[in-house]
Amino acid sequence: MAAHSPKIILGSKSAARQAILKEMGFEYTIITADIDEKAIRRDKPEDLVMALAEAKAEAILSKLATLDVINCKTDSEPTLLITADQVVVHEGLVREKPCCEEEARHFIKGYSMAAASTVGSVLVINLTTGKKSGGWDTAEIYFHQIPDEVIDSLINEGSVLYVAGGLMVEHPLISPLIDAIVGTLDSVMGLPKDLTNSLIKEVLQD
């Protein structure tokens, strides 16, 4: 991490996003938004994930103001808030987190039949200056046949219920079944590194 790296608040409880941000060399504090994501709807997946990242940021800013956790204006180094969201698009349909085991099973079974696309947003706000920038990235994932016993194991374990589309490409049961990824693995996992770095640089510019 650079000597003058900004302070970062990551507005996500996603273990994958936390790991990616750490891989990028950043230290961070986690504050979650805890919003009702289903209450925010948009027709296009790109618009939906951007709207959700904005809503998460607004909720976290409200928390910061209420709790007076951080005094961004007087800190010597800038403080950045990063929020993100992701959906999976499969056969033209947007898939968010599965509502139940049955839906998760339906989602995962379908990936054997047609490629899945991830659409992920990142929003970065410089809390010291108020400058913000956001964008989205996509990737496509092609799978070999996913056996029913693998799906059963994933459902029983439960983690797939908490990720968009029930899609966990990093899972040791799933990763050997990936035929190809068009795009980057970090984008599929929910925090595209190149986009995030670009947005961070943009909000730090004078």
Side-chain angles (χ1 to χ4, degrees):
M1 184 171 61
H4 300 291
S5 183
K7 296 179 181 178
I8 290 180
I9 298 171
L10 177 61
S12 175
K13 43 187 147 181
S14 162
R17 289 193 185 106
Q18 293 168 22
I20 291 168
L21 199 57
K22 194 169 288 185
E23 285 175 8
M24 293 170 67
F26 293 110
E27 295 178 359
Y28 53 85
T29 301
I30 297 170
I31 301 179
T32 57
D34 305 317
I35 64 170
D36 179 8
E37 297 185 18
K38 299 290 187 184
I40 298 172
R41 301 291 86 188
R42 297 291 186 275
D43 291 334
K44 295 181 180 179
E46 298 86 357
D47 294 340
L48 176 60
V49 293
M50 287 305 306
L52 285 165
E54 291 270 8
K56 290 175 182 179
E58 288 174 10
I60 292 168
L61 288 173
S62 295
K63 280 188 178 182
L64 291 173
T66 302
L67 300 173
D68 195 24
V69 174
I70 191 166
N71 191 341
C72 305
K73 301 293 184 185
T74 59
D75 284 341
S76 57
E77 296 296 338
T79 299
L80 307 183
L81 170 61
I82 299 176
T83 57
D85 195 76
Q86 185 183 62
V87 295
V88 172
V89 179
H90 185 255
E91 296 189 313
L93 299 176
V94 172
R95 294 179 167 182
E96 298 177 80
K97 296 180 183 73
C99 65
C100 59
E101 292 185 359
E102 182 180 351
E103 186 170 60
R105 186 182 303 278
H106 171 69
F107 283 177
I108 299 168
K109 200 171 186 67
Y111 299 141
S112 297
M113 304 172 196
S117 298
T118 56
V119 181
S121 63
V122 182
L123 178 68
V124 182
I125 303 176
N126 186 328
L127 299 182
T128 306
T129 65
K131 189 173 183 178
K132 72 177 181 177
S133 187
W136 51 268
D137 192 55
T138 64
E140 291 183 352
I141 311 99
Y142 295 83
F143 290 91
H144 299 294
Q145 188 69 30
I146 304 175
D148 287 342
E149 55 267 29
V150 168
I151 299 175
D152 290 341
S153 295
L154 292 169
I155 298 297
N156 290 335
E157 182 186 285
S159 299
V160 293
L161 296 171
Y162 303 100
V163 295
L167 185 66
M168 294 185 70
V169 295
E170 72 276 19
H171 196 287
L173 289 177
I174 286 292
S175 56
L177 300 175
I178 295 173
D179 183 27
I181 293 177
V182 180
T184 63
L185 181 60
D186 44 272
S187 182
V188 174
M189 292 175 64
L191 193 68
K193 292 179 181 178
D194 288 347
L195 175 61
T196 303
N197 272 322
S198 175
L199 297 174
I200 288 173
K201 289 177 183 177
E202 189 171 334
V203 302
L204 289 176
Q205 288 176 351
D206 295 331

